[in-house]
Amino acid sequence: MTHPTTARQLFQTAYESRYTWNENFPGYSADVQLVQENEVHTGKIRINGDLSVEVTGVADEQVEEGIYTQLRDIVTHRKRTSFDESHAKHEFSFGQEDPDGAIEILVKGDSMGSNYKVRGKEISQVSRVMGRMGFIIDTHESLDTGSGYIATRYDAIFRNSKTNEVTSVLKFEDSYEKIGNYYVMTKQVVQEYKDGTRTTTEFSYSNIKLLEPAAV
């Protein structure tokens, strides 16, 4: 086992250590319940084998949109994209090392102004600036599936990139279960701190069933 020696190698190792669904992923259906403060909403969801997302039976359109957005985020993280497809044109260099051993990876040539931190074989921080908005996501805990890691406790700090003022803070706690051969999210609790108030939103997924692959 050779140890990564360049910033690119170190980042590539961490990138390829993430848990993703393979090309045989059939998709799944589930019942969804969203609880926000005193409101409870229910419906059904489906992530298809082609990673398209469907949300049905949710009475509130805004809530339906929120569930759809959350599922799209899940798909983004579980979708398998090769390192070269995502990062072939980027240049990587080492930044500083934190006391806990996390190493900063600086990226050149990324249109989103992304930088990262890698701890061991995991990406422990993602930092991006997109126009007037900047955000930093720090991962505090992850699940080792045996075939890649999944972040399970992490927070995101959003700032105005011009003034550096914090606009909101989101704290996430995610739970996963292995259904058949695939890990899927069963619960996500999001706490949002904004304008001095805290809002808690809880997504729960039950009755999860893998879809039957279409007959060839």
Side-chain angles (χ1 to χ4, degrees):
M1 173 85 190
T2 57
H3 288 288
T5 52
T6 67
R8 173 179 284 273
Q9 285 172 322
L10 186 73
F11 182 69
Q12 183 169 354
T13 299
Y15 179 90
E16 291 173 348
S17 296
R18 297 169 311 132
Y19 173 77
T20 54
W21 293 325
N22 63 20
E23 64 282 358
N24 299 321
F25 174 68
Y28 65 90
S29 62
D31 297 334
V32 61
Q33 176 179 281
L34 182 145
V35 180
Q36 189 171 63
E37 304 314 307
N38 299 318
E39 289 184 22
V40 180
H41 303 269
T42 57
K44 295 194 179 298
I45 67 100
R46 191 174 157 118
I47 294 180
N48 296 302
D50 64 0
L51 301 186
S52 60
V53 168
E54 297 170 35
V55 182
T56 53
V58 180
D60 186 306
E61 204 174 305
Q62 210 174 345
V63 170
E64 182 180 83
E65 213 169 282
I67 294 168
Y68 180 85
T69 301
Q70 194 247 15
L71 293 171
R72 290 297 318 160
D73 280 349
I74 292 173
V75 165
T76 299
H77 289 106
R78 300 285 81 81
K79 183 182 180 182
R80 185 166 293 188
T81 310
S82 76
F83 181 78
D84 283 347
E85 217 176 309
S86 298
H87 296 289
K89 293 180 176 155
H90 300 157
E91 287 176 37
F92 298 89
S93 59
F94 287 120
Q96 295 177 327
E97 185 169 347
D98 288 352
D100 67 358
I103 298 170
E104 193 177 18
I105 305 286
L106 308 173
V107 186
K108 254 175 140 175
D110 182 338
S111 59
M112 290 194 288
S114 303
N115 290 312
Y116 302 90
K117 284 184 182 177
V118 171
R119 187 186 300 114
K121 286 189 176 178
E122 296 185 12
I123 296 168
S124 59
Q125 186 185 87
V126 178
S127 166
R128 286 202 174 118
V129 177
M130 297 185 285
R132 293 183 70 83
M133 185 190 77
F135 65 83
I136 291 177
I137 299 173
D138 281 300
T139 298
H140 304 292
E141 285 177 24
S142 57
L143 167 70
D144 181 0
T145 67
S147 52
Y149 73 90
I150 303 174
T152 53
R153 191 169 68 82
Y154 48 99
D155 48 45
I157 298 173
F158 293 86
R159 294 176 188 276
N160 178 318
S161 60
K162 303 286 182 279
T163 64
N164 219 22
E165 178 196 356
V166 173
T167 52
S168 74
V169 176
L170 295 171
K171 292 179 180 287
F172 297 85
E173 284 200 39
D174 300 350
S175 304
Y176 286 84
E177 245 176 67
K178 193 173 189 185
I179 310 288
N181 292 325
Y182 299 94
Y183 280 86
V184 300
M185 184 185 283
T186 53
K187 190 174 182 181
Q188 181 177 69
V189 180
V190 188
Q191 297 188 53
E192 180 175 22
Y193 300 80
K194 192 174 185 178
D195 302 328
T197 61
R198 183 182 80 172
T199 310
T200 302
T201 307
E202 196 173 288
F203 301 84
S204 301
Y205 297 98
S206 58
N207 194 23
I208 298 168
K209 293 187 173 73
L210 293 182
L211 303 177
E212 293 295 326
V216 178

